[in-house]
PDB file of all heavy atoms in Angstrom:
ATOM      1  N   GLN A   1       0.863  -1.181   0.000  1.00  0.00           N
ATOM      2  CA  GLN A   1       0.000   0.000   0.000  1.00  0.00           C
ATOM      3  C   GLN A   1       0.895   1.225   0.000  1.00  0.00           C
ATOM      4  O   GLN A   1       1.736   1.381   0.893  1.00  0.00           O
ATOM      5  CB  GLN A   1      -0.901   0.002   1.237  1.00  0.00           C
ATOM      6  CG  GLN A   1      -1.778   1.241   1.357  1.00  0.00           C
ATOM      7  CD  GLN A   1      -2.841   1.311   0.280  1.00  0.00           C
ATOM      8  OE1 GLN A   1      -3.490   0.320  -0.037  1.00  0.00           O
ATOM      9  NE2 GLN A   1      -3.037   2.495  -0.282  1.00  0.00           N
ATOM     10  N   MET A   2       0.713   2.087  -0.979  1.00  0.00           N
ATOM     11  CA  MET A   2       1.550   3.269  -1.130  1.00  0.00           C
ATOM     12  C   MET A   2       0.683   4.516  -1.009  1.00  0.00           C
ATOM     13  O   MET A   2      -0.201   4.737  -1.846  1.00  0.00           O
ATOM     14  CB  MET A   2       2.274   3.244  -2.475  1.00  0.00           C
ATOM     15  CG  MET A   2       3.052   1.948  -2.717  1.00  0.00           C
ATOM     16  SD  MET A   2       4.040   1.990  -4.226  1.00  0.00           S
ATOM     17  CE  MET A   2       2.747   2.111  -5.447  1.00  0.00           C
ATOM     18  N   ASN A   3       0.927   5.295   0.005  1.00  0.00           N
ATOM     19  CA  ASN A   3       0.189   6.536   0.241  1.00  0.00           C
ATOM     20  C   ASN A   3       1.127   7.732   0.122  1.00  0.00           C
ATOM     21  O   ASN A   3       2.353   7.597   0.156  1.00  0.00           O
ATOM     22  CB  ASN A   3      -0.441   6.516   1.631  1.00  0.00           C
ATOM     23  CG  ASN A   3      -1.440   5.401   1.816  1.00  0.00           C
ATOM     24  OD1 ASN A   3      -2.116   4.991   0.871  1.00  0.00           O
ATOM     25  ND2 ASN A   3      -1.539   4.904   3.036  1.00  0.00           N
ATOM     26  N   SER A   4       0.537   8.913   0.010  1.00  0.00           N
ATOM     27  CA  SER A   4       1.303  10.166  -0.077  1.00  0.00           C
ATOM     28  C   SER A   4       2.415  10.060  -1.118  1.00  0.00           C
ATOM     29  O   SER A   4       3.571  10.423  -0.861  1.00  0.00           O
ATOM     30  CB  SER A   4       1.892  10.520   1.302  1.00  0.00           C
ATOM     31  OG  SER A   4       0.877  10.638   2.272  1.00  0.00           O
ATOM     32  N   LEU A   5       2.059   9.571  -2.269  1.00  0.00           N
ATOM     33  CA  LEU A   5       3.065   9.332  -3.307  1.00  0.00           C
ATOM     34  C   LEU A   5       3.693  10.625  -3.797  1.00  0.00           C
ATOM     35  O   LEU A   5       3.040  11.678  -3.866  1.00  0.00           O
ATOM     36  CB  LEU A   5       2.438   8.562  -4.463  1.00  0.00           C
ATOM     37  CG  LEU A   5       2.231   7.066  -4.183  1.00  0.00           C
ATOM     38  CD1 LEU A   5       1.233   6.460  -5.141  1.00  0.00           C
ATOM     39  CD2 LEU A   5       3.559   6.330  -4.256  1.00  0.00           C
ATOM     40  N   LYS A   6       4.974  10.514  -4.130  1.00  0.00           N
ATOM     41  CA  LYS A   6       5.755  11.650  -4.592  1.00  0.00           C
ATOM     42  C   LYS A   6       6.297  11.350  -5.988  1.00  0.00           C
ATOM     43  O   LYS A   6       6.438  10.170  -6.357  1.00  0.00           O
ATOM     44  CB  LYS A   6       6.935  11.886  -3.646  1.00  0.00           C
ATOM     45  CG  LYS A   6       6.564  12.071  -2.195  1.00  0.00           C
ATOM     46  CD  LYS A   6       7.805  12.162  -1.331  1.00  0.00           C
ATOM     47  CE  LYS A   6       7.451  12.323   0.147  1.00  0.00           C
ATOM     48  NZ  LYS A   6       8.666  12.406   0.995  1.00  0.00           N
ATOM     49  N   PRO A   7       6.633  12.356  -6.757  1.00  0.00           N
ATOM     50  CA  PRO A   7       7.208  12.111  -8.087  1.00  0.00           C
ATOM     51  C   PRO A   7       8.448  11.210  -8.029  1.00  0.00           C
ATOM     52  O   PRO A   7       8.663  10.409  -8.951  1.00  0.00           O
ATOM     53  CB  PRO A   7       7.551  13.516  -8.576  1.00  0.00           C
ATOM     54  CG  PRO A   7       6.549  14.400  -7.894  1.00  0.00           C
ATOM     55  CD  PRO A   7       6.363  13.792  -6.534  1.00  0.00           C
ATOM     56  N   GLU A   8       9.224  11.308  -6.973  1.00  0.00           N
ATOM     57  CA  GLU A   8      10.427  10.471  -6.866  1.00  0.00           C
ATOM     58  C   GLU A   8      10.118   9.006  -6.590  1.00  0.00           C
ATOM     59  O   GLU A   8      11.026   8.181  -6.571  1.00  0.00           O
ATOM     60  CB  GLU A   8      11.377  11.021  -5.792  1.00  0.00           C
ATOM     61  CG  GLU A   8      10.727  11.298  -4.452  1.00  0.00           C
ATOM     62  CD  GLU A   8      10.328  12.750  -4.281  1.00  0.00           C
ATOM     63  OE1 GLU A   8       9.759  13.340  -5.236  1.00  0.00           O
ATOM     64  OE2 GLU A   8      10.561  13.278  -3.174  1.00  0.00           O
ATOM     65  N   ASP A   9       8.850   8.668  -6.364  1.00  0.00           N
ATOM     66  CA  ASP A   9       8.454   7.275  -6.227  1.00  0.00           C
ATOM     67  C   ASP A   9       8.232   6.611  -7.591  1.00  0.00           C
ATOM     68  O   ASP A   9       8.000   5.410  -7.661  1.00  0.00           O
ATOM     69  CB  ASP A   9       7.160   7.153  -5.407  1.00  0.00           C
ATOM     70  CG  ASP A   9       7.343   7.585  -3.958  1.00  0.00           C
ATOM     71  OD1 ASP A   9       8.377   7.235  -3.358  1.00  0.00           O
ATOM     72  OD2 ASP A   9       6.434   8.265  -3.442  1.00  0.00           O
ATOM     73  N   THR A  10       8.297   7.391  -8.645  1.00  0.00           N
ATOM     74  CA  THR A  10       8.106   6.855  -9.992  1.00  0.00           C
ATOM     75  C   THR A  10       9.179   5.829 -10.315  1.00  0.00           C
ATOM     76  O   THR A  10      10.381   6.108 -10.210  1.00  0.00           O
ATOM     77  CB  THR A  10       8.144   7.997 -11.023  1.00  0.00           C
ATOM     78  OG1 THR A  10       7.037   8.870 -10.796  1.00  0.00           O
ATOM     79  CG2 THR A  10       8.072   7.447 -12.441  1.00  0.00           C
ATOM     80  N   ALA A  11       8.738   4.635 -10.690  1.00  0.00           N
ATOM     81  CA  ALA A  11       9.663   3.533 -10.978  1.00  0.00           C
ATOM     82  C   ALA A  11       8.859   2.317 -11.412  1.00  0.00           C
ATOM     83  O   ALA A  11       7.630   2.302 -11.310  1.00  0.00           O
ATOM     84  CB  ALA A  11      10.483   3.180  -9.728  1.00  0.00           C
ATOM     85  N   VAL A  12       9.568   1.307 -11.875  1.00  0.00           N
ATOM     86  CA  VAL A  12       8.972  -0.014 -12.041  1.00  0.00           C
ATOM     87  C   VAL A  12       9.127  -0.730 -10.700  1.00  0.00           C
ATOM     88  O   VAL A  12      10.235  -0.785 -10.155  1.00  0.00           O
ATOM     89  CB  VAL A  12       9.646  -0.810 -13.163  1.00  0.00           C
ATOM     90  CG1 VAL A  12       9.042  -2.206 -13.255  1.00  0.00           C
ATOM     91  CG2 VAL A  12       9.507  -0.073 -14.493  1.00  0.00           C
ATOM     92  N   TYR A  13       8.032  -1.253 -10.199  1.00  0.00           N
ATOM     93  CA  TYR A  13       8.021  -1.938  -8.909  1.00  0.00           C
ATOM     94  C   TYR A  13       7.970  -3.447  -9.133  1.00  0.00           C
ATOM     95  O   TYR A  13       7.146  -3.931  -9.920  1.00  0.00           O
ATOM     96  CB  TYR A  13       6.836  -1.478  -8.066  1.00  0.00           C
ATOM     97  CG  TYR A  13       7.062  -0.123  -7.445  1.00  0.00           C
ATOM     98  CD1 TYR A  13       7.057   1.026  -8.231  1.00  0.00           C
ATOM     99  CD2 TYR A  13       7.307   0.016  -6.083  1.00  0.00           C
ATOM    100  CE1 TYR A  13       7.291   2.273  -7.673  1.00  0.00           C
ATOM    101  CE2 TYR A  13       7.535   1.260  -5.515  1.00  0.00           C
ATOM    102  CZ  TYR A  13       7.531   2.382  -6.317  1.00  0.00           C
ATOM    103  OH  TYR A  13       7.763   3.623  -5.754  1.00  0.00           O
ATOM    104  N   TYR A  14       8.833  -4.147  -8.415  1.00  0.00           N
ATOM    105  CA  TYR A  14       8.933  -5.595  -8.514  1.00  0.00           C
ATOM    106  C   TYR A  14       8.689  -6.229  -7.155  1.00  0.00           C
ATOM    107  O   TYR A  14       9.132  -5.705  -6.129  1.00  0.00           O
ATOM    108  CB  TYR A  14      10.333  -6.012  -8.967  1.00  0.00           C
ATOM    109  CG  TYR A  14      10.780  -5.464 -10.291  1.00  0.00           C
ATOM    110  CD1 TYR A  14      11.418  -4.232 -10.382  1.00  0.00           C
ATOM    111  CD2 TYR A  14      10.580  -6.191 -11.466  1.00  0.00           C
ATOM    112  CE1 TYR A  14      11.847  -3.734 -11.603  1.00  0.00           C
ATOM    113  CE2 TYR A  14      11.002  -5.706 -12.686  1.00  0.00           C
ATOM    114  CZ  TYR A  14      11.632  -4.476 -12.743  1.00  0.00           C
ATOM    115  OH  TYR A  14      12.038  -3.987 -13.953  1.00  0.00           O
ATOM    116  N   CYS A  15       8.020  -7.377  -7.170  1.00  0.00           N
ATOM    117  CA  CYS A  15       8.003  -8.187  -5.961  1.00  0.00           C
ATOM    118  C   CYS A  15       8.944  -9.373  -6.176  1.00  0.00           C
ATOM    119  O   CYS A  15       9.206  -9.780  -7.314  1.00  0.00           O
ATOM    120  CB  CYS A  15       6.605  -8.651  -5.601  1.00  0.00           C
ATOM    121  SG  CYS A  15       5.857  -9.839  -6.720  1.00  0.00           S
ATOM    122  N   ALA A  16       9.434  -9.876  -5.076  1.00  0.00           N
ATOM    123  CA  ALA A  16      10.375 -10.990  -5.119  1.00  0.00           C
ATOM    124  C   ALA A  16      10.242 -11.784  -3.825  1.00  0.00           C
ATOM    125  O   ALA A  16       9.740 -11.275  -2.824  1.00  0.00           O
ATOM    126  CB  ALA A  16      11.805 -10.479  -5.279  1.00  0.00           C
ATOM    127  N   VAL A  17      10.686 -13.033  -3.855  1.00  0.00           N
ATOM    128  CA  VAL A  17      10.618 -13.870  -2.658  1.00  0.00           C
ATOM    129  C   VAL A  17      11.994 -14.426  -2.327  1.00  0.00           C
ATOM    130  O   VAL A  17      12.840 -14.603  -3.207  1.00  0.00           O
ATOM    131  CB  VAL A  17       9.601 -15.011  -2.805  1.00  0.00           C
ATOM    132  CG1 VAL A  17       8.198 -14.465  -2.957  1.00  0.00           C
ATOM    133  CG2 VAL A  17       9.964 -15.938  -3.958  1.00  0.00           C
ATOM    134  N   THR A  18      12.162 -14.717  -1.056  1.00  0.00           N
ATOM    135  CA  THR A  18      13.416 -15.222  -0.547  1.00  0.00           C
ATOM    136  C   THR A  18      13.122 -16.165   0.603  1.00  0.00           C
ATOM    137  O   THR A  18      12.109 -16.010   1.280  1.00  0.00           O
ATOM    138  CB  THR A  18      14.304 -14.041  -0.088  1.00  0.00           C
ATOM    139  OG1 THR A  18      15.548 -14.539   0.384  1.00  0.00           O
ATOM    140  CG2 THR A  18      13.643 -13.244   1.013  1.00  0.00           C
ATOM    141  N   PRO A  19      13.973 -17.163   0.817  1.00  0.00           N
ATOM    142  CA  PRO A  19      13.743 -18.087   1.926  1.00  0.00           C
ATOM    143  C   PRO A  19      13.716 -17.375   3.270  1.00  0.00           C
ATOM    144  O   PRO A  19      14.197 -16.244   3.393  1.00  0.00           O
ATOM    145  CB  PRO A  19      14.943 -19.044   1.831  1.00  0.00           C
ATOM    146  CG  PRO A  19      15.353 -18.989   0.409  1.00  0.00           C
ATOM    147  CD  PRO A  19      15.106 -17.567  -0.007  1.00  0.00           C
ATOM    148  N   PRO A  20      13.169 -18.022   4.290  1.00  0.00           N
ATOM    149  CA  PRO A  20      13.051 -17.414   5.620  1.00  0.00           C
ATOM    150  C   PRO A  20      14.392 -16.917   6.155  1.00  0.00           C
ATOM    151  O   PRO A  20      15.432 -17.516   5.898  1.00  0.00           O
ATOM    152  CB  PRO A  20      12.507 -18.553   6.482  1.00  0.00           C
ATOM    153  CG  PRO A  20      11.788 -19.424   5.525  1.00  0.00           C
ATOM    154  CD  PRO A  20      12.571 -19.353   4.245  1.00  0.00           C
ATOM    155  N   GLY A  21      14.331 -15.816   6.892  1.00  0.00           N
ATOM    156  CA  GLY A  21      15.512 -15.275   7.553  1.00  0.00           C
ATOM    157  C   GLY A  21      16.006 -13.974   6.975  1.00  0.00           C
ATOM    158  O   GLY A  21      16.562 -13.142   7.700  1.00  0.00           O
ATOM    159  N   VAL A  22      15.802 -13.758   5.695  1.00  0.00           N
ATOM    160  CA  VAL A  22      16.372 -12.569   5.053  1.00  0.00           C
ATOM    161  C   VAL A  22      15.801 -11.285   5.627  1.00  0.00           C
ATOM    162  O   VAL A  22      16.530 -10.307   5.847  1.00  0.00           O
ATOM    163  CB  VAL A  22      16.173 -12.627   3.527  1.00  0.00           C
ATOM    164  CG1 VAL A  22      16.568 -11.308   2.872  1.00  0.00           C
ATOM    165  CG2 VAL A  22      16.985 -13.772   2.942  1.00  0.00           C
ATOM    166  N   CYS A  23      14.504 -11.257   5.885  1.00  0.00           N
ATOM    167  CA  CYS A  23      13.890 -10.030   6.391  1.00  0.00           C
ATOM    168  C   CYS A  23      14.346  -9.687   7.798  1.00  0.00           C
ATOM    169  O   CYS A  23      14.105  -8.565   8.263  1.00  0.00           O
ATOM    170  CB  CYS A  23      12.370 -10.124   6.339  1.00  0.00           C
ATOM    171  SG  CYS A  23      11.706  -9.878   4.684  1.00  0.00           S
ATOM    172  N   TYR A  24      14.968 -10.598   8.482  1.00  0.00           N
ATOM    173  CA  TYR A  24      15.508 -10.341   9.812  1.00  0.00           C
ATOM    174  C   TYR A  24      16.939  -9.816   9.748  1.00  0.00           C
ATOM    175  O   TYR A  24      17.527  -9.486  10.787  1.00  0.00           O
ATOM    176  CB  TYR A  24      15.485 -11.613  10.661  1.00  0.00           C
ATOM    177  CG  TYR A  24      14.100 -12.048  11.084  1.00  0.00           C
ATOM    178  CD1 TYR A  24      13.357 -12.916  10.297  1.00  0.00           C
ATOM    179  CD2 TYR A  24      13.550 -11.597  12.283  1.00  0.00           C
ATOM    180  CE1 TYR A  24      12.091 -13.320  10.683  1.00  0.00           C
ATOM    181  CE2 TYR A  24      12.280 -12.004  12.675  1.00  0.00           C
ATOM    182  CZ  TYR A  24      11.559 -12.864  11.868  1.00  0.00           C
ATOM    183  OH  TYR A  24      10.305 -13.262  12.253  1.00  0.00           O
ATOM    184  N   SER A  25      17.504  -9.751   8.568  1.00  0.00           N
ATOM    185  CA  SER A  25      18.905  -9.350   8.437  1.00  0.00           C
ATOM    186  C   SER A  25      19.031  -7.913   7.949  1.00  0.00           C
ATOM    187  O   SER A  25      18.093  -7.333   7.404  1.00  0.00           O
ATOM    188  CB  SER A  25      19.624 -10.282   7.468  1.00  0.00           C
ATOM    189  OG  SER A  25      19.304  -9.945   6.135  1.00  0.00           O
ATOM    190  N   SER A  26      20.220  -7.365   8.121  1.00  0.00           N
ATOM    191  CA  SER A  26      20.482  -5.991   7.680  1.00  0.00           C
ATOM    192  C   SER A  26      20.651  -5.903   6.173  1.00  0.00           C
ATOM    193  O   SER A  26      20.738  -4.808   5.622  1.00  0.00           O
ATOM    194  CB  SER A  26      21.739  -5.457   8.372  1.00  0.00           C
ATOM    195  OG  SER A  26      22.858  -6.263   8.038  1.00  0.00           O
ATOM    196  N   THR A  27      20.702  -7.044   5.495  1.00  0.00           N
ATOM    197  CA  THR A  27      20.868  -7.048   4.042  1.00  0.00           C
ATOM    198  C   THR A  27      19.579  -7.434   3.331  1.00  0.00           C
ATOM    199  O   THR A  27      19.608  -7.939   2.217  1.00  0.00           O
ATOM    200  CB  THR A  27      22.006  -7.993   3.635  1.00  0.00           C
ATOM    201  OG1 THR A  27      21.722  -9.309   4.124  1.00  0.00           O
ATOM    202  CG2 THR A  27      23.334  -7.511   4.196  1.00  0.00           C
ATOM    203  N   TRP A  28      18.448  -7.181   3.967  1.00  0.00           N
ATOM    204  CA  TRP A  28      17.151  -7.534   3.374  1.00  0.00           C
ATOM    205  C   TRP A  28      16.927  -6.819   2.050  1.00  0.00           C
ATOM    206  O   TRP A  28      16.124  -7.253   1.235  1.00  0.00           O
ATOM    207  CB  TRP A  28      16.016  -7.179   4.345  1.00  0.00           C
ATOM    208  CG  TRP A  28      15.865  -5.704   4.565  1.00  0.00           C
ATOM    209  CD1 TRP A  28      16.454  -4.971   5.553  1.00  0.00           C
ATOM    210  CD2 TRP A  28      15.118  -4.779   3.779  1.00  0.00           C
ATOM    211  NE1 TRP A  28      16.108  -3.657   5.422  1.00  0.00           N
ATOM    212  CE2 TRP A  28      15.288  -3.495   4.352  1.00  0.00           C
ATOM    213  CE3 TRP A  28      14.314  -4.904   2.651  1.00  0.00           C
ATOM    214  CZ2 TRP A  28      14.678  -2.356   3.838  1.00  0.00           C
ATOM    215  CZ3 TRP A  28      13.706  -3.760   2.120  1.00  0.00           C
ATOM    216  CH2 TRP A  28      13.892  -2.513   2.718  1.00  0.00           C
ATOM    217  N   ASP A  29      17.601  -5.692   1.852  1.00  0.00           N
ATOM    218  CA  ASP A  29      17.367  -4.881   0.659  1.00  0.00           C
ATOM    219  C   ASP A  29      18.328  -5.194  -0.488  1.00  0.00           C
ATOM    220  O   ASP A  29      18.385  -4.444  -1.471  1.00  0.00           O
ATOM    221  CB  ASP A  29      17.442  -3.397   1.015  1.00  0.00           C
ATOM    222  CG  ASP A  29      18.774  -3.017   1.643  1.00  0.00           C
ATOM    223  OD1 ASP A  29      19.543  -3.930   2.013  1.00  0.00           O
ATOM    224  OD2 ASP A  29      19.032  -1.810   1.771  1.00  0.00           O
ATOM    225  N   ARG A  30      19.075  -6.276  -0.360  1.00  0.00           N
ATOM    226  CA  ARG A  30      19.997  -6.670  -1.426  1.00  0.00           C
ATOM    227  C   ARG A  30      19.263  -7.574  -2.406  1.00  0.00           C
ATOM    228  O   ARG A  30      18.828  -8.674  -2.045  1.00  0.00           O
ATOM    229  CB  ARG A  30      21.202  -7.405  -0.855  1.00  0.00           C
ATOM    230  CG  ARG A  30      21.944  -6.620   0.202  1.00  0.00           C
ATOM    231  CD  ARG A  30      22.874  -5.579  -0.389  1.00  0.00           C
ATOM    232  NE  ARG A  30      23.535  -4.790   0.649  1.00  0.00           N
ATOM    233  CZ  ARG A  30      24.640  -5.142   1.265  1.00  0.00           C
ATOM    234  NH1 ARG A  30      25.243  -6.280   0.949  1.00  0.00           N
ATOM    235  NH2 ARG A  30      25.157  -4.353   2.192  1.00  0.00           N
ATOM    236  N   ALA A  31      19.133  -7.171  -3.636  1.00  0.00           N
ATOM    237  CA  ALA A  31      18.378  -7.918  -4.632  1.00  0.00           C
ATOM    238  C   ALA A  31      18.936  -9.328  -4.828  1.00  0.00           C
ATOM    239  O   ALA A  31      18.183 -10.263  -5.118  1.00  0.00           O
ATOM    240  CB  ALA A  31      18.370  -7.161  -5.954  1.00  0.00           C
ATOM    241  N   ILE A  32      20.219  -9.480  -4.667  1.00  0.00           N
ATOM    242  CA  ILE A  32      20.852 -10.770  -4.918  1.00  0.00           C
ATOM    243  C   ILE A  32      20.361 -11.835  -3.949  1.00  0.00           C
ATOM    244  O   ILE A  32      20.488 -13.031  -4.199  1.00  0.00           O
ATOM    245  CB  ILE A  32      22.386 -10.636  -4.837  1.00  0.00           C
ATOM    246  CG1 ILE A  32      23.069 -11.848  -5.475  1.00  0.00           C
ATOM    247  CG2 ILE A  32      22.840 -10.425  -3.385  1.00  0.00           C
ATOM    248  CD1 ILE A  32      24.559 -11.712  -5.621  1.00  0.00           C
ATOM    249  N   ARG A  33      19.760 -11.444  -2.838  1.00  0.00           N
ATOM    250  CA  ARG A  33      19.294 -12.401  -1.848  1.00  0.00           C
ATOM    251  C   ARG A  33      17.918 -12.974  -2.185  1.00  0.00           C
ATOM    252  O   ARG A  33      17.435 -13.845  -1.469  1.00  0.00           O
ATOM    253  CB  ARG A  33      19.260 -11.748  -0.470  1.00  0.00           C
ATOM    254  CG  ARG A  33      20.622 -11.222  -0.008  1.00  0.00           C
ATOM    255  CD  ARG A  33      20.721 -11.128   1.480  1.00  0.00           C
ATOM    256  NE  ARG A  33      20.669 -12.447   2.093  1.00  0.00           N
ATOM    257  CZ  ARG A  33      20.706 -12.664   3.398  1.00  0.00           C
ATOM    258  NH1 ARG A  33      20.802 -11.643   4.232  1.00  0.00           N
ATOM    259  NH2 ARG A  33      20.646 -13.892   3.890  1.00  0.00           N
ATOM    260  N   TYR A  34      17.304 -12.504  -3.249  1.00  0.00           N
ATOM    261  CA  TYR A  34      15.961 -12.921  -3.600  1.00  0.00           C
ATOM    262  C   TYR A  34      15.999 -13.910  -4.760  1.00  0.00           C
ATOM    263  O   TYR A  34      16.762 -13.746  -5.717  1.00  0.00           O
ATOM    264  CB  TYR A  34      15.086 -11.714  -3.921  1.00  0.00           C
ATOM    265  CG  TYR A  34      14.808 -10.908  -2.674  1.00  0.00           C
ATOM    266  CD1 TYR A  34      15.787 -10.095  -2.113  1.00  0.00           C
ATOM    267  CD2 TYR A  34      13.581 -10.998  -2.022  1.00  0.00           C
ATOM    268  CE1 TYR A  34      15.551  -9.378  -0.952  1.00  0.00           C
ATOM    269  CE2 TYR A  34      13.331 -10.279  -0.867  1.00  0.00           C
ATOM    270  CZ  TYR A  34      14.316  -9.486  -0.328  1.00  0.00           C
ATOM    271  OH  TYR A  34      14.081  -8.785   0.826  1.00  0.00           O
ATOM    272  N   THR A  35      15.130 -14.912  -4.666  1.00  0.00           N
ATOM    273  CA  THR A  35      15.223 -16.049  -5.575  1.00  0.00           C
ATOM    274  C   THR A  35      14.352 -15.894  -6.809  1.00  0.00           C
ATOM    275  O   THR A  35      14.803 -16.136  -7.925  1.00  0.00           O
ATOM    276  CB  THR A  35      14.813 -17.327  -4.833  1.00  0.00           C
ATOM    277  OG1 THR A  35      15.548 -17.424  -3.621  1.00  0.00           O
ATOM    278  CG2 THR A  35      15.043 -18.554  -5.699  1.00  0.00           C
ATOM    279  N   TYR A  36      13.097 -15.551  -6.583  1.00  0.00           N
ATOM    280  CA  TYR A  36      12.153 -15.449  -7.695  1.00  0.00           C
ATOM    281  C   TYR A  36      11.623 -14.024  -7.773  1.00  0.00           C
ATOM    282  O   TYR A  36      11.375 -13.387  -6.744  1.00  0.00           O
ATOM    283  CB  TYR A  36      10.979 -16.419  -7.514  1.00  0.00           C
ATOM    284  CG  TYR A  36      11.408 -17.860  -7.389  1.00  0.00           C
ATOM    285  CD1 TYR A  36      11.242 -18.553  -6.192  1.00  0.00           C
ATOM    286  CD2 TYR A  36      11.969 -18.536  -8.473  1.00  0.00           C
ATOM    287  CE1 TYR A  36      11.639 -19.862  -6.067  1.00  0.00           C
ATOM    288  CE2 TYR A  36      12.361 -19.852  -8.353  1.00  0.00           C
ATOM    289  CZ  TYR A  36      12.198 -20.512  -7.152  1.00  0.00           C
ATOM    290  OH  TYR A  36      12.599 -21.812  -7.030  1.00  0.00           O
ATOM    291  N   TRP A  37      11.413 -13.579  -9.029  1.00  0.00           N
ATOM    292  CA  TRP A  37      10.998 -12.203  -9.276  1.00  0.00           C
ATOM    293  C   TRP A  37       9.789 -12.155 -10.193  1.00  0.00           C
ATOM    294  O   TRP A  37       9.632 -13.005 -11.077  1.00  0.00           O
ATOM    295  CB  TRP A  37      12.136 -11.425  -9.946  1.00  0.00           C
ATOM    296  CG  TRP A  37      13.298 -11.182  -9.042  1.00  0.00           C
ATOM    297  CD1 TRP A  37      14.291 -12.058  -8.718  1.00  0.00           C
ATOM    298  CD2 TRP A  37      13.583  -9.979  -8.331  1.00  0.00           C
ATOM    299  NE1 TRP A  37      15.180 -11.474  -7.851  1.00  0.00           N
ATOM    300  CE2 TRP A  37      14.777 -10.192  -7.605  1.00  0.00           C
ATOM    301  CE3 TRP A  37      12.959  -8.738  -8.253  1.00  0.00           C
ATOM    302  CZ2 TRP A  37      15.336  -9.197  -6.794  1.00  0.00           C
ATOM    303  CZ3 TRP A  37      13.527  -7.752  -7.445  1.00  0.00           C
ATOM    304  CH2 TRP A  37      14.702  -7.998  -6.729  1.00  0.00           C
ATOM    305  N   GLY A  38       8.974 -11.128  -9.989  1.00  0.00           N
ATOM    306  CA  GLY A  38       7.905 -10.853 -10.926  1.00  0.00           C
ATOM    307  C   GLY A  38       8.425 -10.019 -12.082  1.00  0.00           C
ATOM    308  O   GLY A  38       9.600  -9.644 -12.128  1.00  0.00           O
ATOM    309  N   GLN A  39       7.525  -9.681 -13.004  1.00  0.00           N
ATOM    310  CA  GLN A  39       7.921  -8.963 -14.214  1.00  0.00           C
ATOM    311  C   GLN A  39       7.903  -7.449 -14.016  1.00  0.00           C
ATOM    312  O   GLN A  39       8.421  -6.715 -14.849  1.00  0.00           O
ATOM    313  CB  GLN A  39       6.998  -9.332 -15.383  1.00  0.00           C
ATOM    314  CG  GLN A  39       5.667  -8.590 -15.436  1.00  0.00           C
ATOM    315  CD  GLN A  39       4.706  -8.949 -14.322  1.00  0.00           C
ATOM    316  OE1 GLN A  39       4.876  -9.941 -13.620  1.00  0.00           O
ATOM    317  NE2 GLN A  39       3.667  -8.134 -14.150  1.00  0.00           N
ATOM    318  N   GLY A  40       7.299  -6.998 -12.927  1.00  0.00           N
ATOM    319  CA  GLY A  40       7.273  -5.576 -12.615  1.00  0.00           C
ATOM    320  C   GLY A  40       5.995  -4.889 -13.054  1.00  0.00           C
ATOM    321  O   GLY A  40       5.317  -5.327 -13.985  1.00  0.00           O
TER     322      GLY A  40
END
């Protein structure tokens, strides 16, 4: 859910999945840690 959108939010948005544990780490935002991706 995206509220109060700004022009700088303009982008292609992708969802991706990763095995358990990644979201608990400081590197959750590293794309390389994600296994499967949508098309955007």
Side-chain angles (χ1 to χ4, degrees):
Q1 177 68 44
M2 307 186 295
N3 298 328
S4 302
L5 283 162
K6 305 174 181 180
E8 51 263 44
D9 294 318
T10 295
V12 177
Y13 283 71
Y14 301 88
C15 68
V17 296
T18 181
V22 171
C23 283
Y24 289 90
S25 78
S26 60
T27 58
W28 67 268
D29 57 348
R30 304 280 177 85
I32 196 172
R33 301 204 66 182
Y34 291 75
T35 309
Y36 302 113
W37 291 80
Q39 82 292 346

